[in-house]
Every structure is written in structure tokens, then in C-alpha cells.
């Protein structure tokens, strides 16, 4: 899924859409070296638009409704700030289109929009003018802005003397007073002391409760889950996952859990000429690093391809574990008396299918291991992530089929009567 949407979009005919992006992309020309810059300049001078470029954002589709809250997550360099700059008009897209309606309040790069030589009070006046506030409106809101920023006498000092936390305080205070239709923030909660962060969170919660619309970038999954109903995960400039905030953030955290575990180098294993090594592992035909999403009760199909150095048939083991390493289930082809299928002289494939998946909602890791024909020695491992979606109040890892006795008291009474009768006889 690469689009954040809301069903109300259809019902309203798009009337409540504040931000719309279609196939949005951004690329920058390769100008790392002097000759690259000269080549790019020469092409522009002769009217050639086909510059050698590096894409930083590709194929992003986005619908943000009025009153919605969207969290943008991803590693550094994933394209989050670039997407925000496209939404706010700071950058123009290379491909696709973007449209934002209503008054936008943006807190992007630290101090962006502030003149370092002007005082805080002067910068407030300049920002208010850019937002279209009249002089009398500014006079009315100025005490509120100064109180919210809480930077004391520094409000009349040049901004170049401010700490990073004071700059964010002033910027957020301006936005808080203006209450824009759409608020776009980039890591605003990562700067400043804890008391100011709490003040910002309380203000955002009130802003959303009164119909405000928020796009929030943060590396804190706590703040994303607390303030946002939907999330979009960017990975290497593309949408890795989008949708419900808890599903997307759980998938993102599971991805980082797997990254923190040292994975075997596939090239080194192949070069070592071990007896058996894995060529690939697919979950429901998807061979990818990002998690595969499933619903409770869906079918999970795992397919492993194994390279056999001597052409002997391998034993293939499959396992499922929680992302914290807790084992859930494991089985091998040798245990069930199944032989992998030969694809060619040195390649074998094994596939296992879990119908009506009984895993409870959460993030899991599936694993494949090639073993020798006798099922004694293990040679290699590949892991893939899956996320099981669903709503339940049950505990544990799996759903066990069960039933409730609707008349236990009568059964106990009957058993007691039978016992008494046996004793008297």
C-alpha cells in the first residue's frame, strides 16, 4: 500500500481534502564533482532537461483530510523532510503533483524563516505578516505568543543569540497563536526541555480535538502513536508502508529489530562453497526486507530456494518467532517426511503453507534454514518480517481453538450426585 487515504474522501467527493499528492517525486542533479556541475550547467544552457540525477523521493501518493493526523516515519535520509518541503511549496516536484489547501503552518528546519539579526519580537511581526495577519490582530495575539514561548527578556534580543530550544519555542508559539488549518512539523518535539515538549503535546492534542490537521515527522514512535491516527513509512525515498498508525509503527520497529541482529552475508556464504546455502525466502510470493502484512486467519506461504553444492537434496526447516526472539513454532521437511523439489542440478525448492493462521496480532519473524540431507547440520539462515493485523483482547502468541461450557454448574452438580450415589452403594 503506497497511499494514505480515508474512506470519507469518497463520501465528501474530496471537499475536505487539505493535502493531495499523486506520484510525487523529487530528484537532484549529480553535482558532487566539478565536472558534474559543469556538465549539468552545459546541458541547461543548451536546453537539455535530461540531467543525470539522484532520486530522493519516488511515487508518493497521499490524501490528508481535514481533521486528520498523519505521522511520517523513516530513517535519516529516507525523504521525510523532502516530502514536507514539497507539501509546503519550498521545493517543486520533479515528477507528479502536489496540492495543499487552506492556511498552512510549518515548522521545518530549525530557525527557517527567522532573520538572525532581528529580535524575537521583530521576527514574530515578520512571520505574522507572512501569514496575512493585520497589525491589530498581531497586537491582540502578541502577548499570547510571548507567554507561550516563555523565553523572557530574550524576546527583545537578536535571534542569533538564541539556543536551538529557544528558536523552536518562538516558532511553535507563533504557530500556536495562528492555529493554521494544516500544521506541518519536522522533529519539533526533539528540541527543547521536557516541560516545553509537554506543553507542545497538550497544545497539539487540543488543536486536533478542535478539528486541526497535523502532519508530524518524528523518530519517537511514542509521540507518533500518541498524536497520529495514520502513519506513512518512507524507506529510501519510497513508501514502505502506510495506514493505521499502530500497524505501520509496529512494522517499522520490527524492521529495526531485525536490522540490529547481524545477518549473514549472502555473498560470503555463497563464496565459501558451503554444502547448502539459501538463494532466497519469500513470504506469500514477496521477497522483500519490509514486513508482509497479514490478517488473522489468512494463509501464510513460505517458499525457500536452496543451492546444493553436490546436488544432494537438502532438509529445509522453517520457523516463526516474535521479534523479541521468542520462538513460536518450528518444523522441518525431514520431520514431516517431505522431500524438497528439484529445480535443476544444484537448486531445490521447499514450500510450507499455514492455512487459517492462528497467530495473534503483532510483529513476527519467519526463518528458513537449509540442513543436510540427514537433518543434522544447519548451514544458513534467512529471515523475513510479517505483521499480523487484527483486534483482540486475547493474550499470548497464538489463538487456540476452544469452547466454553455453558452449563458448568449443572455438570458439577451431576458429577457430585453420581459420586455420592457410588459412595452409598
Amino acid at each position: 500500500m503506497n497511499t494514505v487515504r480515508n474512506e470519507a474522501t469518497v463520501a465528501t467527493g474530496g471537499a475536505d481534502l487539505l493535502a493531495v499528492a499523486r506520484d510525487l517525486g523529487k530528484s537532484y542533479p549529480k553535482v558532487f564533482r566539478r565536472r558534474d556541475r559543469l556538465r549539468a550547467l552545459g546541458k541547461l544552457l543548451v536546453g537539455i532537461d535530461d540531467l543525470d540525477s539522484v532520486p530522493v523521493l519516488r511515487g508518493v501518493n497521499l490524501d490528508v483530510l481535514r481533521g486528520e493526523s498523519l505521522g511520517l516515519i523513516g530513517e535519516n535520509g529516507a525523504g521525510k523532510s523532502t516530502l514536507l518541503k514539497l507539501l509546503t511549496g519550498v521545493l517543486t516536484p520533479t515528477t507528479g503533483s502536489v496540492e495543499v489547501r487552506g492556511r498552512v503552518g510549518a515548522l521545518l528546519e530549525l530557525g527557517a524563516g527567522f532573520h538572525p539579526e532581528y529580535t524575537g519580537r521583530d521576527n514574530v511581526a515578520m512571520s505574522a505578516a507572512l501569514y496575512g495577519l493585520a497589525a491589530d490582530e498581531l497586537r491582540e495575539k502578541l502577548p499570547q505568543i510571548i507567554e507561550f514561548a516563555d523565553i523572557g527578556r530574550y524576546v527583545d534580543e537578536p535571534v542569533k543569540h538564541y539556543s536551538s530550544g529557544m528558536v523552536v519555542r518562538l516558532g511553535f508559539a507563533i504557530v500556536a497563536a495562528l492555529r493554521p488549518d494544516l500544521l506541518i512539523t519536522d522533529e519539533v518535539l526533539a528540541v527543547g526541555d521536557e516541560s516545553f515538549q509537554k506543553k507542545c503535546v497538550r497544545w497539539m492534542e487540543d488543536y486536533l480535538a478542535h478539528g486541526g490537521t497535523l502532519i508530524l515527522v518524528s523518530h519517537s514512535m511514542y509521540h507518533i502513536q500518541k498524536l497520529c491516527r495514520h502513519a506513512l513509512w518512507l524507506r529510501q525515498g519510497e513508501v514502505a508502508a502506510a495506514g493505521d498508525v499502530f500497524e505501520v509503527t509496529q512494522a517499522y520497529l520490527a524492521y529495526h529489530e531485525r536490522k540490529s541482529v547481524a545477518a549473514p552475508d549472502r555473498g560470503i556464504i555463497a563464496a565459501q562453497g558451503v554444502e547448502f546455502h539459501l538463494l532466497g525466502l519469500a513470504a506469500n510470493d514477496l521477497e522483500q526486507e519490509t514486513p508482509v502484512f497479514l490478517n488473522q486467519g489468512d494463509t501464510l506461504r513460505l517458499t525457500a530456494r536452496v543451492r546444493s553444492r553436490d546436488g544432494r537434496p537438502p532438509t529445509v526447516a522453517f520457523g516463526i518467532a516474535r521479534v523479541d526472539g521468542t520462538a513460536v513454532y518450528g518444523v522441518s521437511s525431514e520431520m514431516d517426511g517431505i522431500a524438497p523439489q528439484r529445480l535443476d542440478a544444484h537448486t531445490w525448492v521447499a514450500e510450507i503453507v499455514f492455512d487459517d493462521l492462528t497467530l495473534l496480532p503483532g510483529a513476527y519473524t519467519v526463518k528458513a534454514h537449509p540442513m543436510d540431507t540427514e537433518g543434522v547440520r544447519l548451514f544458513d539462515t534467512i529471515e523475513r518480517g510479517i505483521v499480523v493485523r487484527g483486534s483482540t483482547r486475547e493474550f499470548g502468541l497464538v489463538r487456540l481453538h476452544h469452547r466454553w461450557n455453558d452449563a458448568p454448574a449443572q455438570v458439577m452438580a451431576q458429577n457430585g450426585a453420581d459420586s455420592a450415589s457410588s459412595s452409598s452403594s
Side-chain angles (χ1 to χ4, degrees), residues 80-91 104-113 131 167-168 171 175 183-188 191 215 217:
K80 303 184 300 296
S81 296
T82 299
L83 177 55
L84 294 191
K85 289 175 183 177
L86 290 168
L87 289 171
T88 54
V90 175
L91 295 176
V104 178
L107 289 169
L108 302 180
E109 295 177 356
L110 190 63
Y131 279 112
V167 172
V168 169
V175 169
L183 174 59
I184 298 176
T185 70
D186 189 356
E187 289 293 353
V188 67
V191 182
I215 298 178
V217 168

Side-chain angles (χ1 to χ4, degrees), residues 247-316:
E247 292 181 3
V248 176
T249 52
Q250 285 170 5
Y252 180 66
L253 292 171
Y255 164 76
H256 279 283
E257 286 281 350
R258 289 192 303 277
K259 276 191 64 177
S260 65
V261 178
D265 189 305
R266 316 299 319 151
I268 292 176
I269 290 175
Q272 287 173 343
V274 296
E275 190 171 350
F276 300 99
H277 72 268
L278 284 160
L279 299 175
L281 171 63
N284 287 0
D285 298 324
L286 299 173
E287 197 165 321
Q288 58 188 38
E289 292 186 31
T290 53
V292 174
F293 286 83
L294 301 163
N295 295 316
Q296 281 184 283
D298 279 355
T299 296
L300 172 62
R301 186 173 68 260
L302 302 177
T303 310
R305 291 179 295 112
V306 181
R307 175 77 174 176
S308 171
R309 184 186 62 194
D310 302 323
R312 291 203 307 150
T315 291
V316 180

Side-chain angles (χ1 to χ4, degrees), residues 220-275:
S220 166
M221 295 304 104
Y222 169 80
H223 287 127
I224 292 289
Q225 292 176 350
K226 182 178 179 63
L227 293 168
C228 302
R229 292 204 299 267
H230 292 90
L232 185 147
W233 170 15
L234 287 175
R235 182 170 177 266
Q236 296 179 357
E238 296 181 325
V239 176
D244 176 78
V245 65
F246 290 101
E247 292 181 3
V248 176
T249 52
Q250 285 170 5
Y252 180 66
L253 292 171
Y255 164 76
H256 279 283
E257 286 281 350
R258 289 192 303 277
K259 276 191 64 177
S260 65
V261 178
D265 189 305
R266 316 299 319 151
I268 292 176
I269 290 175
Q272 287 173 343
V274 296
E275 190 171 350

Side-chain angles (χ1 to χ4, degrees), residues 211-425:
T213 307
L214 174 68
I215 298 178
L216 171 68
V217 168
S218 179
H219 287 290
S220 166
M221 295 304 104
Y222 169 80
H223 287 127
I224 292 289
Q225 292 176 350
K226 182 178 179 63
L227 293 168
C228 302
R229 292 204 299 267
H230 292 90
L232 185 147
W233 170 15
L234 287 175
R235 182 170 177 266
Q236 296 179 357
E238 296 181 325
V239 176
D244 176 78
V245 65
F246 290 101
E247 292 181 3
V248 176
T249 52
Q250 285 170 5
Y252 180 66
L253 292 171
Y255 164 76
H256 279 283
E257 286 281 350
R258 289 192 303 277
K259 276 191 64 177
S260 65
V261 178
D265 189 305
R266 316 299 319 151
I268 292 176
I269 290 175
Q272 287 173 343
V274 296
E275 190 171 350
F276 300 99
H277 72 268
L278 284 160
L279 299 175
L281 171 63
N284 287 0
D285 298 324
L286 299 173
E287 197 165 321
Q288 58 188 38
E289 292 186 31
T290 53
V292 174
F293 286 83
L294 301 163
N295 295 316
Q296 281 184 283
D298 279 355
T299 296
L300 172 62
R301 186 173 68 260
L302 302 177
T303 310
R305 291 179 295 112
V306 181
R307 175 77 174 176
S308 171
R309 184 186 62 194
D310 302 323
R312 291 203 307 150
T315 291
V316 180
F318 291 99
I320 301 176
R322 286 296 292 262
V323 292
D324 62 3
T326 304
V328 177
Y329 182 74
V331 69
S332 73
S333 57
E334 183 269 337
M335 291 178 189
D336 288 343
I338 300 298
Q341 184 178 0
R342 185 191 291 270
L343 292 180
D344 57 40
H346 295 278
T347 308
W348 298 78
V349 63
E351 184 170 274
I352 191 168
V353 180
F354 298 93
D355 292 312
D356 191 20
L357 195 64
T358 58
L359 293 174
L360 291 180
Y364 298 85
T365 299
V366 295
K367 307 178 182 182
H369 312 279
M371 305 172 71
D372 57 21
T373 305
E374 297 72 30
V376 176
R377 295 176 60 203
L378 186 150
F379 291 90
D380 193 5
T381 300
I382 288 184
E383 298 183 356
R384 295 283 181 259
I386 64 170
V387 174
V388 179
R389 299 177 291 199
S391 300
T392 181
R393 296 173 63 193
E394 296 166 290
F395 298 101
L397 302 174
V398 298
R399 170 172 286 165
L400 299 179
H401 292 292
H402 60 274
R403 61 184 178 84
W404 291 88
N405 190 338
D406 57 358
Q410 291 89 322
V411 173
M412 291 178 64
Q414 182 61 48
N415 288 343
D418 291 345
S419 177
S421 175
S422 298
S423 298
S424 62
S425 62

Side-chain angles (χ1 to χ4, degrees), residues 104-242:
V104 178
L107 289 169
L108 302 180
E109 295 177 356
L110 190 63
F114 286 165
H115 195 296
E117 300 294 337
Y118 292 178
T119 67
R121 193 183 299 270
D122 291 337
N123 272 291
V124 168
M126 184 172 62
S127 297
L130 291 173
Y131 279 112
L133 253 68
D136 55 343
E137 291 179 293
L138 174 60
R139 281 193 297 271
E140 180 184 339
K141 293 183 178 294
L142 186 58
Q144 176 186 342
I145 294 171
I146 293 174
E147 180 183 2
F148 193 100
D150 192 21
I151 57 176
R153 63 177 179 83
Y154 283 96
V155 73
D156 292 309
E157 292 284 337
V159 167
K160 65 181 181 181
H161 296 157
Y162 286 16
S163 67
S164 59
M166 293 165 65
V167 172
V168 169
R169 281 174 174 265
L170 188 62
F172 199 97
I174 295 170
V175 169
L178 297 174
R179 298 188 75 90
D181 299 311
L182 172 61
L183 174 59
I184 298 176
T185 70
D186 189 356
E187 289 293 353
V188 67
L189 297 175
V191 182
D193 55 59
E194 186 176 351
S195 62
F196 185 72
Q197 289 182 15
K198 290 180 178 178
K199 182 191 289 190
C200 291
V201 170
R202 286 194 300 270
W203 183 90
M204 287 184 184
E205 288 176 329
D206 178 74
Y207 169 76
L208 291 170
H210 288 84
T213 307
L214 174 68
I215 298 178
L216 171 68
V217 168
S218 179
H219 287 290
S220 166
M221 295 304 104
Y222 169 80
H223 287 127
I224 292 289
Q225 292 176 350
K226 182 178 179 63
L227 293 168
C228 302
R229 292 204 299 267
H230 292 90
L232 185 147
W233 170 15
L234 287 175
R235 182 170 177 266
Q236 296 179 357
E238 296 181 325
V239 176

